[in-house]
Amino acid sequence: MKIDSGIIKMLIVVFAITIIAALILRHVMEKKGLYDSSPKVETAVEETSGKMVDDEETKEADNESKVVSAGNGYEKISADKAVGENTCVQVEKILTEVADDGKGNQELKYTTYYMSDVNLSALSDSTADYTQCITEDGFDDSKIEKVSFADAFGFSYQGCTDMAEFFELARKSSGFDYDMTDASYDEEKYELMKEESYEFNGDCSILYSMLGDMDYDRLIQSTCYYSLSELEDGTKYPTMFTAIVQYIKGDITYTKTAYLGFSYYKEGESGGCGCCSGSECETSCEDCSDNAGCCSESDGTCPSCGGVGGCTEDCTGDCCK
């Protein structure tokens, strides 16, 4: 079976995001004197009883590199309007863990990898679990498992009236539930990654679930971010959420990341999927009235298929059925 090139590219991007995040964290921590490549943990460890540990000095140092303004680049009314104009969305939820022994040895594993294409107007979806697909030898597509959307993302979209409501349910159900207007612009992250990102000024519940009852020796940091995309008219709307917790246990530094991403599109603007009938796929959109959502006059990446200018062999999107 041929592996979808879109999935492979997506895996590479997510892998890069995880590694870059870990390296950036190490760089920042080393610069602030908070990371020791061969940590010696003090024998007297402060009891946390499962509660979040706030390092006041770290917070103060972080705030010096932030530009704080009420509302930041996110304006809920305009963002909801921009998101609400779409009828379809591809949503991903990915959890990773990196173990670093401080001697140049790092081990990355994916603990959760869900992806779904949702057609809100048709109240339908195609949801899959890719968690077991990523192996030491590469990507094993035989381990893709079909799952229900509710099992993967923790809520049902059946009662949603529009995409803005879907977005709110998705982010809150995934634990990114803090007030989005109470956040600080991350200037340093923009300089490093050219990404307009904001750090929540308070804790999202996902941080607690990522740490759980973890018995760590030292909590280095626990933060949540969201990133904005911008339309041609200047409207900004959130498309990505990231949570990072980093702690030391023994001689190992663990970095856990959670990613929630949204890619919106309108039915009928699938970006080059073409029209499909049975097992045949055509790139022309003539006589496509019975295949709403499968036509596009311009080439591009189809959110459901990952193909360009047509449908790939392993496509499972609605436009390729």
Side-chain angles (χ1 to χ4, degrees):
M1 183 181 290
K2 186 172 70 175
I3 299 175
D4 192 327
S5 61
I7 293 175
I8 295 298
K9 291 178 181 178
M10 177 182 60
L11 291 174
I12 292 173
V13 170
V14 173
F15 180 87
I17 289 173
T18 303
I19 295 300
I20 289 172
L23 292 176
I24 290 174
L25 278 171
R26 175 186 288 193
H27 170 74
V28 173
M29 293 303 127
E30 287 179 344
K31 190 168 74 171
K32 295 177 180 178
L34 297 174
Y35 181 86
D36 186 349
S37 59
S38 56
K40 298 179 180 179
V41 182
E42 298 178 0
T43 55
V45 179
E46 181 180 356
E47 293 293 334
T48 61
S49 302
K51 296 182 180 179
M52 303 295 288
V53 179
D54 291 327
D55 188 327
E56 295 300 331
E57 293 182 359
T58 302
K59 291 291 184 180
E60 292 176 4
D62 283 344
N63 288 336
E64 292 178 0
S65 64
K66 305 281 191 281
V67 177
V68 182
S69 58
N72 303 286
Y74 172 73
E75 205 285 315
K76 179 173 172 56
I77 295 178
S78 59
D80 283 355
K81 183 176 184 298
V83 168
E85 291 176 351
N86 297 282
T87 54
C88 302
V89 63
Q90 184 179 86
V91 57
E92 302 168 78
K93 182 167 72 173
I94 306 168
L95 304 180
T96 66
E97 180 178 317
V98 177
D100 186 349
D101 65 2
K103 301 176 182 179
N105 300 312
Q106 290 185 338
E107 180 184 356
L108 168 69
K109 64 179 179 180
Y110 286 77
T111 56
T112 298
Y113 197 144
Y114 295 124
M115 180 170 66
S116 180
D117 274 289
V118 179
N119 184 323
L120 201 56
S121 61
L123 292 178
S124 63
D125 68 88
S126 176
T127 307
D129 183 352
Y130 294 89
T131 307
Q132 303 302 319
C133 296
I134 307 166
T135 67
E136 293 181 356
D137 298 325
F139 181 83
D140 185 354
D141 64 339
S142 67
K143 295 184 178 181
I144 298 174
E145 296 182 4
K146 293 293 183 181
V147 295
S148 73
F149 182 90
D151 287 342
F153 293 92
F155 73 99
S156 172
Y157 59 82
Q158 294 297 318
C160 290
T161 57
D162 59 29
M163 194 62 72
E165 183 180 0
F166 174 93
F167 163 77
E168 285 294 330
L169 282 172
R171 79 172 181 93
K172 292 179 179 178
S173 297
S174 296
F176 295 96
D177 46 4
Y178 191 74
D179 181 3
M180 292 183 63
T181 62
D182 186 11
S184 302
Y185 174 55
D186 193 332
E187 187 173 14
E188 184 176 19
K189 192 173 181 181
Y190 179 81
E191 292 298 323
L192 288 171
M193 305 179 69
K194 301 303 178 185
E195 178 183 292
E196 186 173 357
S197 183
Y198 298 86
E199 178 182 344
F200 287 102
N201 290 330
D203 291 334
C204 293
S205 62
I206 191 172
L207 297 175
Y208 295 89
S209 63
M210 291 170 75
L211 287 170
D213 296 325
M214 187 65 60
D215 180 22
Y216 48 79
D217 297 321
R218 180 185 176 193
L219 178 62
I220 297 176
Q221 80 155 15
S222 57
T223 53
C224 280
Y225 301 87
Y226 67 85
S227 299
L228 300 179
S229 292
E230 186 173 353
L231 298 175
E232 292 182 358
D233 64 2
T235 301
K236 297 179 181 180
Y237 61 100
T239 53
M240 182 173 70
F241 293 83
T242 308
I244 302 174
V245 297
Q246 189 177 50
Y247 57 88
I248 295 173
K249 176 63 177 178
D251 293 332
I252 306 298
T253 299
Y254 295 92
T255 303
K256 292 183 178 181
T257 63
Y259 167 86
L260 180 68
F262 300 85
S263 179
Y264 303 100
Y265 57 104
K266 297 178 181 178
E267 196 169 19
E269 295 182 0
S270 53
C273 258
C275 306
C276 301
S277 176
S279 61
E280 298 180 357
C281 293
E282 302 292 337
T283 56
S284 169
C285 281
E286 297 178 1
D287 302 323
C288 198
S289 58
D290 294 333
N291 291 281
C294 303
C295 302
S296 176
E297 297 179 356
S298 60
D299 291 337
T301 300
C302 170
S304 299
C305 311
V308 177
C311 297
T312 62
E313 181 180 337
D314 298 330
C315 173
T316 58
D318 290 339
C319 60
C320 296
K321 293 179 180 179

Short mmCIF file of all heavy atoms in Angstrom, two decimals, residues 25-83:
data_model
loop_
_atom_site.label_atom_id
_atom_site.label_comp_id
_atom_site.label_asym_id
_atom_site.label_seq_id
_atom_site.Cartn_x
_atom_site.Cartn_y
_atom_site.Cartn_z
N LEU A 25 13.79 25.21 24.29
CA LEU A 25 13.65 25.16 25.74
C LEU A 25 15.01 25.01 26.41
O LEU A 25 15.33 25.68 27.38
CB LEU A 25 12.75 24.00 26.13
CG LEU A 25 11.24 24.27 26.03
CD1 LEU A 25 10.48 22.98 26.24
CD2 LEU A 25 10.81 25.31 27.04
N ARG A 26 15.83 24.09 25.87
CA ARG A 26 17.15 23.88 26.48
C ARG A 26 17.99 25.14 26.38
O ARG A 26 18.65 25.53 27.34
CB ARG A 26 17.88 22.73 25.79
CG ARG A 26 19.31 22.55 26.33
CD ARG A 26 20.09 21.53 25.57
NE ARG A 26 19.63 20.18 25.86
CZ ARG A 26 20.34 19.09 25.51
NH1 ARG A 26 21.47 19.21 24.88
NH2 ARG A 26 19.87 17.90 25.80
N HIS A 27 17.94 25.81 25.20
CA HIS A 27 18.73 27.03 25.01
C HIS A 27 18.30 28.10 26.00
O HIS A 27 19.14 28.75 26.63
CB HIS A 27 18.55 27.53 23.57
CG HIS A 27 19.11 28.91 23.35
ND1 HIS A 27 20.47 29.15 23.26
CD2 HIS A 27 18.51 30.11 23.20
CE1 HIS A 27 20.67 30.45 23.06
NE2 HIS A 27 19.50 31.05 23.02
N VAL A 28 16.99 28.28 26.14
CA VAL A 28 16.47 29.30 27.05
C VAL A 28 16.83 28.98 28.49
O VAL A 28 17.26 29.84 29.26
CB VAL A 28 14.94 29.45 26.89
CG1 VAL A 28 14.38 30.38 27.95
CG2 VAL A 28 14.61 29.98 25.50
N MET A 29 16.67 27.71 28.87
CA MET A 29 16.96 27.31 30.24
C MET A 29 18.44 27.45 30.58
O MET A 29 18.82 27.87 31.66
CB MET A 29 16.52 25.85 30.49
CG MET A 29 15.02 25.64 30.42
SD MET A 29 14.12 26.68 31.60
CE MET A 29 12.96 27.46 30.49
N GLU A 30 19.32 27.06 29.61
CA GLU A 30 20.75 27.19 29.85
C GLU A 30 21.14 28.65 30.00
O GLU A 30 21.95 29.02 30.84
CB GLU A 30 21.53 26.55 28.69
CG GLU A 30 21.49 25.03 28.71
CD GLU A 30 22.24 24.42 27.54
OE1 GLU A 30 22.52 25.16 26.58
OE2 GLU A 30 22.55 23.22 27.59
N LYS A 31 20.54 29.50 29.17
CA LYS A 31 20.86 30.93 29.21
C LYS A 31 20.44 31.55 30.54
O LYS A 31 21.08 32.47 31.06
CB LYS A 31 20.17 31.65 28.05
CG LYS A 31 20.65 33.08 27.88
CD LYS A 31 20.17 33.67 26.56
CE LYS A 31 18.71 34.00 26.60
NZ LYS A 31 18.27 34.77 25.41
N LYS A 32 19.35 31.03 31.11
CA LYS A 32 18.85 31.56 32.38
C LYS A 32 19.38 30.80 33.58
O LYS A 32 18.99 31.06 34.71
CB LYS A 32 17.31 31.53 32.37
CG LYS A 32 16.72 32.46 31.31
CD LYS A 32 15.21 32.35 31.27
CE LYS A 32 14.63 33.29 30.21
NZ LYS A 32 13.18 33.17 30.10
N GLY A 33 20.28 29.83 33.31
CA GLY A 33 20.88 29.09 34.41
C GLY A 33 19.95 28.10 35.06
O GLY A 33 20.14 27.69 36.20
N LEU A 34 18.89 27.69 34.33
CA LEU A 34 17.90 26.79 34.91
C LEU A 34 18.07 25.36 34.44
O LEU A 34 17.36 24.47 34.89
CB LEU A 34 16.48 27.27 34.56
CG LEU A 34 16.11 28.64 35.11
CD1 LEU A 34 14.76 29.05 34.58
CD2 LEU A 34 16.10 28.61 36.63
N TYR A 35 19.01 25.14 33.52
CA TYR A 35 19.19 23.79 32.97
C TYR A 35 20.64 23.38 33.12
O TYR A 35 21.55 24.10 32.72
CB TYR A 35 18.79 23.74 31.49
CG TYR A 35 18.94 22.36 30.89
CD1 TYR A 35 17.91 21.44 30.99
CD2 TYR A 35 20.10 21.99 30.22
CE1 TYR A 35 18.02 20.18 30.43
CE2 TYR A 35 20.22 20.73 29.67
CZ TYR A 35 19.18 19.83 29.77
OH TYR A 35 19.30 18.58 29.22
N ASP A 36 20.87 22.22 33.71
CA ASP A 36 22.20 21.67 33.88
C ASP A 36 22.27 20.40 33.05
O ASP A 36 21.46 19.50 33.22
CB ASP A 36 22.45 21.34 35.35
CG ASP A 36 23.89 20.90 35.60
OD1 ASP A 36 24.60 20.65 34.62
OD2 ASP A 36 24.27 20.80 36.78
N SER A 37 23.23 20.34 32.10
CA SER A 37 23.31 19.19 31.21
C SER A 37 23.56 17.88 31.94
O SER A 37 23.30 16.82 31.44
CB SER A 37 24.41 19.41 30.16
OG SER A 37 25.66 19.59 30.79
N SER A 38 24.11 17.95 33.14
CA SER A 38 24.27 16.76 33.97
C SER A 38 23.75 17.08 35.36
O SER A 38 24.52 17.31 36.29
CB SER A 38 25.73 16.32 34.04
OG SER A 38 26.55 17.38 34.51
N PRO A 39 22.43 17.19 35.50
CA PRO A 39 21.82 17.71 36.72
C PRO A 39 22.15 16.89 37.95
O PRO A 39 22.16 15.67 37.92
CB PRO A 39 20.32 17.65 36.41
CG PRO A 39 20.19 16.60 35.37
CD PRO A 39 21.43 16.70 34.54
N LYS A 40 22.41 17.61 39.06
CA LYS A 40 22.58 16.99 40.36
C LYS A 40 21.42 17.46 41.23
O LYS A 40 21.39 18.61 41.65
CB LYS A 40 23.91 17.39 40.98
CG LYS A 40 25.13 16.93 40.15
CD LYS A 40 26.43 17.37 40.80
CE LYS A 40 27.63 16.93 39.97
NZ LYS A 40 28.91 17.37 40.58
N VAL A 41 20.51 16.58 41.45
CA VAL A 41 19.29 16.94 42.15
C VAL A 41 19.54 16.94 43.65
O VAL A 41 20.16 16.03 44.19
CB VAL A 41 18.16 15.94 41.83
CG1 VAL A 41 16.88 16.34 42.53
CG2 VAL A 41 17.95 15.88 40.33
N GLU A 42 19.10 18.00 44.31
CA GLU A 42 19.26 18.08 45.75
C GLU A 42 18.45 16.99 46.43
O GLU A 42 17.38 16.61 45.96
CB GLU A 42 18.80 19.46 46.25
CG GLU A 42 19.63 20.61 45.67
CD GLU A 42 19.12 21.95 46.15
OE1 GLU A 42 18.14 21.95 46.92
OE2 GLU A 42 19.69 22.97 45.78
N THR A 43 18.97 16.50 47.56
CA THR A 43 18.26 15.41 48.25
C THR A 43 16.99 15.90 48.90
O THR A 43 16.02 15.16 49.02
CB THR A 43 19.18 14.80 49.32
OG1 THR A 43 19.63 15.83 50.20
CG2 THR A 43 20.39 14.14 48.67
N ALA A 44 16.98 17.15 49.31
CA ALA A 44 15.78 17.70 49.93
C ALA A 44 14.92 18.31 48.85
O ALA A 44 15.23 19.35 48.31
CB ALA A 44 16.15 18.76 50.97
N VAL A 45 13.84 17.64 48.48
CA VAL A 45 12.95 18.09 47.42
C VAL A 45 11.67 18.61 48.03
O VAL A 45 11.06 17.97 48.89
CB VAL A 45 12.63 16.92 46.45
CG1 VAL A 45 11.70 17.40 45.37
CG2 VAL A 45 13.91 16.37 45.85
N GLU A 46 11.26 19.76 47.58
CA GLU A 46 10.03 20.36 48.11
C GLU A 46 8.83 19.52 47.73
O GLU A 46 8.66 19.12 46.59
CB GLU A 46 9.85 21.76 47.54
CG GLU A 46 8.61 22.47 48.06
CD GLU A 46 8.47 23.86 47.46
OE1 GLU A 46 9.37 24.25 46.74
OE2 GLU A 46 7.45 24.51 47.73
N GLU A 47 7.97 19.21 48.69
CA GLU A 47 6.78 18.44 48.43
C GLU A 47 5.77 19.29 47.68
O GLU A 47 5.46 20.39 48.08
CB GLU A 47 6.15 17.95 49.76
CG GLU A 47 6.99 16.95 50.52
CD GLU A 47 7.11 15.63 49.76
OE1 GLU A 47 6.19 15.34 48.97
OE2 GLU A 47 8.10 14.93 49.94
N THR A 48 5.26 18.74 46.56
CA THR A 48 4.32 19.51 45.74
C THR A 48 2.90 19.00 45.87
O THR A 48 1.96 19.71 45.54
CB THR A 48 4.72 19.43 44.25
OG1 THR A 48 4.68 18.06 43.84
CG2 THR A 48 6.13 19.98 44.06
N SER A 49 2.70 17.74 46.31
CA SER A 49 1.36 17.14 46.49
C SER A 49 0.53 17.28 45.24
O SER A 49 -0.66 17.54 45.30
CB SER A 49 0.65 17.82 47.67
OG SER A 49 1.40 17.69 48.85
N GLY A 50 1.18 17.12 44.05
CA GLY A 50 0.44 17.13 42.81
C GLY A 50 0.09 18.51 42.31
O GLY A 50 -0.59 18.65 41.30
N LYS A 51 0.49 19.56 43.03
CA LYS A 51 0.14 20.91 42.61
C LYS A 51 1.22 21.45 41.69
O LYS A 51 2.36 21.02 41.70
CB LYS A 51 -0.01 21.82 43.82
CG LYS A 51 -1.16 21.42 44.74
CD LYS A 51 -1.27 22.40 45.90
CE LYS A 51 -2.42 22.00 46.82
NZ LYS A 51 -2.55 22.92 47.97
N MET A 52 0.87 22.46 40.86
CA MET A 52 1.81 23.09 39.96
C MET A 52 2.84 23.88 40.76
O MET A 52 2.51 24.52 41.75
CB MET A 52 1.09 24.03 38.99
CG MET A 52 0.00 23.37 38.18
SD MET A 52 0.64 22.13 37.06
CE MET A 52 1.42 23.20 35.87
N VAL A 53 4.12 23.82 40.32
CA VAL A 53 5.19 24.55 40.98
C VAL A 53 5.51 25.79 40.16
O VAL A 53 5.85 25.69 38.99
CB VAL A 53 6.46 23.68 41.11
CG1 VAL A 53 7.58 24.48 41.77
CG2 VAL A 53 6.16 22.43 41.92
N ASP A 54 5.41 26.93 40.79
CA ASP A 54 5.69 28.19 40.11
C ASP A 54 7.04 28.71 40.55
O ASP A 54 7.23 29.00 41.73
CB ASP A 54 4.61 29.24 40.41
CG ASP A 54 3.29 28.88 39.77
OD1 ASP A 54 3.32 28.29 38.69
OD2 ASP A 54 2.25 29.19 40.38
N ASP A 55 7.95 28.83 39.61
CA ASP A 55 9.27 29.40 39.91
C ASP A 55 9.17 30.90 39.67
O ASP A 55 9.15 31.36 38.54
CB ASP A 55 10.32 28.76 38.99
CG ASP A 55 11.73 29.15 39.39
OD1 ASP A 55 11.91 30.29 39.87
OD2 ASP A 55 12.65 28.34 39.21
N GLU A 56 9.09 31.67 40.74
CA GLU A 56 8.87 33.11 40.61
C GLU A 56 9.99 33.79 39.84
O GLU A 56 9.76 34.70 39.04
CB GLU A 56 8.74 33.75 42.01
CG GLU A 56 7.52 33.28 42.78
CD GLU A 56 6.23 33.60 42.06
OE1 GLU A 56 6.21 34.60 41.31
OE2 GLU A 56 5.25 32.86 42.23
N GLU A 57 11.24 33.35 40.08
CA GLU A 57 12.34 33.97 39.36
C GLU A 57 12.24 33.70 37.87
O GLU A 57 12.52 34.58 37.04
CB GLU A 57 13.67 33.42 39.89
CG GLU A 57 13.96 33.84 41.33
CD GLU A 57 15.30 33.31 41.81
OE1 GLU A 57 15.98 32.61 41.01
OE2 GLU A 57 15.67 33.59 42.95
N THR A 58 11.83 32.48 37.51
CA THR A 58 11.66 32.16 36.10
C THR A 58 10.56 33.00 35.48
O THR A 58 10.70 33.53 34.38
CB THR A 58 11.32 30.66 35.93
OG1 THR A 58 12.36 29.89 36.50
CG2 THR A 58 11.17 30.30 34.45
N LYS A 59 9.44 33.16 36.20
CA LYS A 59 8.34 33.96 35.70
C LYS A 59 8.77 35.40 35.45
O LYS A 59 8.44 36.01 34.44
CB LYS A 59 7.16 33.94 36.69
CG LYS A 59 6.47 32.60 36.81
CD LYS A 59 5.72 32.26 35.56
CE LYS A 59 4.93 30.96 35.73
NZ LYS A 59 4.18 30.60 34.53
N GLU A 60 9.53 35.96 36.41
CA GLU A 60 9.97 37.34 36.26
C GLU A 60 10.91 37.48 35.07
O GLU A 60 10.83 38.44 34.30
CB GLU A 60 10.68 37.79 37.54
CG GLU A 60 9.73 37.93 38.74
CD GLU A 60 10.48 38.28 40.01
OE1 GLU A 60 11.71 38.49 39.92
OE2 GLU A 60 9.84 38.37 41.07
N ALA A 61 11.80 36.50 34.90
CA ALA A 61 12.72 36.56 33.77
C ALA A 61 11.98 36.42 32.46
O ALA A 61 12.29 37.10 31.47
CB ALA A 61 13.77 35.45 33.90
N ASP A 62 10.97 35.53 32.42
CA ASP A 62 10.18 35.35 31.21
C ASP A 62 9.44 36.63 30.85
O ASP A 62 9.36 37.02 29.68
CB ASP A 62 9.17 34.21 31.39
CG ASP A 62 9.83 32.85 31.29
OD1 ASP A 62 10.98 32.80 30.79
OD2 ASP A 62 9.22 31.86 31.71
N ASN A 63 8.87 37.28 31.84
CA ASN A 63 8.07 38.47 31.59
C ASN A 63 8.90 39.60 30.99
O ASN A 63 8.38 40.48 30.29
CB ASN A 63 7.40 38.94 32.87
CG ASN A 63 6.27 38.02 33.30
OD1 ASN A 63 5.70 37.32 32.48
ND2 ASN A 63 5.96 38.00 34.59
N GLU A 64 10.20 39.61 31.27
CA GLU A 64 11.05 40.65 30.72
C GLU A 64 11.14 40.55 29.20
O GLU A 64 11.38 41.54 28.52
CB GLU A 64 12.45 40.55 31.33
CG GLU A 64 12.48 40.92 32.82
CD GLU A 64 13.88 40.76 33.40
OE1 GLU A 64 14.79 40.37 32.64
OE2 GLU A 64 14.06 41.03 34.60
N SER A 65 10.97 39.35 28.66
CA SER A 65 11.06 39.16 27.22
C SER A 65 9.69 39.18 26.55
O SER A 65 9.57 38.93 25.38
CB SER A 65 11.76 37.83 26.90
OG SER A 65 10.98 36.74 27.36
N LYS A 66 8.64 39.45 27.29
CA LYS A 66 7.29 39.48 26.76
C LYS A 66 6.79 40.92 26.63
O LYS A 66 7.15 41.80 27.39
CB LYS A 66 6.33 38.71 27.68
CG LYS A 66 6.76 37.28 27.96
CD LYS A 66 6.41 36.38 26.80
CE LYS A 66 6.57 34.91 27.18
NZ LYS A 66 7.92 34.44 27.16
N VAL A 67 5.95 41.14 25.63
CA VAL A 67 5.26 42.42 25.49
C VAL A 67 3.80 42.15 25.78
O VAL A 67 3.12 41.44 25.05
CB VAL A 67 5.44 42.99 24.06
CG1 VAL A 67 4.66 44.28 23.93
CG2 VAL A 67 6.91 43.21 23.77
N VAL A 68 3.30 42.68 26.89
CA VAL A 68 1.94 42.38 27.34
C VAL A 68 1.00 43.50 26.92
O VAL A 68 1.28 44.67 27.13
CB VAL A 68 1.89 42.21 28.87
CG1 VAL A 68 0.48 41.85 29.31
CG2 VAL A 68 2.89 41.16 29.32
N SER A 69 -0.13 43.12 26.33
CA SER A 69 -1.15 44.10 25.98
C SER A 69 -2.50 43.39 26.03
O SER A 69 -2.60 42.23 25.68
CB SER A 69 -0.94 44.68 24.58
OG SER A 69 -0.92 43.66 23.59
N ALA A 70 -3.52 44.11 26.51
CA ALA A 70 -4.83 43.52 26.68
C ALA A 70 -5.38 43.05 25.34
O ALA A 70 -5.49 43.82 24.39
CB ALA A 70 -5.79 44.54 27.30
N GLY A 71 -5.74 41.79 25.25
CA GLY A 71 -6.30 41.25 24.03
C GLY A 71 -5.26 40.79 23.04
O GLY A 71 -5.53 39.96 22.20
N ASN A 72 -4.04 41.33 23.11
CA ASN A 72 -2.96 40.95 22.20
C ASN A 72 -3.42 41.03 20.75
O ASN A 72 -4.11 41.96 20.37
CB ASN A 72 -2.45 39.56 22.54
CG ASN A 72 -1.99 39.46 23.98
OD1 ASN A 72 -0.94 39.97 24.33
ND2 ASN A 72 -2.79 38.83 24.80
N GLY A 73 -3.03 40.02 19.94
CA GLY A 73 -3.43 40.02 18.54
C GLY A 73 -4.73 39.29 18.31
O GLY A 73 -5.19 39.17 17.18
N TYR A 74 -5.32 38.76 19.38
CA TYR A 74 -6.55 37.98 19.27
C TYR A 74 -7.75 38.81 19.64
O TYR A 74 -7.81 39.39 20.72
CB TYR A 74 -6.46 36.76 20.19
CG TYR A 74 -7.75 35.98 20.31
CD1 TYR A 74 -8.21 35.19 19.26
CD2 TYR A 74 -8.52 36.05 21.47
CE1 TYR A 74 -9.40 34.48 19.38
CE2 TYR A 74 -9.70 35.34 21.60
CZ TYR A 74 -10.14 34.56 20.54
OH TYR A 74 -11.31 33.85 20.66
N GLU A 75 -8.71 38.87 18.74
CA GLU A 75 -9.95 39.59 19.00
C GLU A 75 -11.09 38.60 18.71
O GLU A 75 -11.29 38.21 17.57
CB GLU A 75 -10.05 40.81 18.09
CG GLU A 75 -10.95 41.92 18.65
CD GLU A 75 -12.42 41.58 18.50
OE1 GLU A 75 -12.80 41.12 17.41
OE2 GLU A 75 -13.16 41.77 19.49
N LYS A 76 -11.78 38.18 19.74
CA LYS A 76 -12.71 37.05 19.65
C LYS A 76 -13.80 37.23 18.59
O LYS A 76 -14.06 36.31 17.82
CB LYS A 76 -13.35 36.79 21.02
CG LYS A 76 -14.35 35.64 21.00
CD LYS A 76 -14.85 35.30 22.39
CE LYS A 76 -15.98 34.29 22.34
NZ LYS A 76 -15.62 33.06 21.63
N ILE A 77 -14.40 38.40 18.54
CA ILE A 77 -15.53 38.60 17.62
C ILE A 77 -15.09 38.42 16.17
O ILE A 77 -15.71 37.68 15.40
CB ILE A 77 -16.16 39.99 17.82
CG1 ILE A 77 -16.80 40.08 19.22
CG2 ILE A 77 -17.21 40.26 16.75
CD1 ILE A 77 -17.40 41.43 19.54
N SER A 78 -14.00 39.09 15.78
CA SER A 78 -13.54 38.98 14.40
C SER A 78 -12.99 37.58 14.11
O SER A 78 -13.17 37.04 13.00
CB SER A 78 -12.47 40.03 14.10
OG SER A 78 -11.35 39.89 14.96
N ALA A 79 -12.32 36.98 15.09
CA ALA A 79 -11.77 35.63 14.89
C ALA A 79 -12.90 34.62 14.73
O ALA A 79 -12.84 33.74 13.85
CB ALA A 79 -10.88 35.25 16.07
N ASP A 80 -13.94 34.72 15.56
CA ASP A 80 -15.08 33.82 15.45
C ASP A 80 -15.76 33.96 14.10
O ASP A 80 -16.21 32.97 13.50
CB ASP A 80 -16.09 34.10 16.56
CG ASP A 80 -15.65 33.53 17.90
OD1 ASP A 80 -14.61 32.84 17.93
OD2 ASP A 80 -16.34 33.79 18.91
N LYS A 81 -15.84 35.20 13.60
CA LYS A 81 -16.46 35.43 12.29
C LYS A 81 -15.64 34.77 11.18
O LYS A 81 -16.20 34.13 10.28
CB LYS A 81 -16.60 36.93 12.02
CG LYS A 81 -17.31 37.27 10.71
CD LYS A 81 -17.48 38.77 10.57
CE LYS A 81 -18.27 39.11 9.31
NZ LYS A 81 -17.56 38.68 8.08
N ALA A 82 -14.32 34.92 11.25
CA ALA A 82 -13.45 34.34 10.23
C ALA A 82 -13.52 32.82 10.24
O ALA A 82 -13.62 32.17 9.19
CB ALA A 82 -12.01 34.80 10.44
N VAL A 83 -13.50 32.25 11.45
CA VAL A 83 -13.57 30.79 11.57
C VAL A 83 -14.95 30.28 11.19
O VAL A 83 -15.09 29.26 10.51
CB VAL A 83 -13.22 30.37 13.01
CG1 VAL A 83 -13.55 28.90 13.25
CG2 VAL A 83 -11.75 30.63 13.31
#
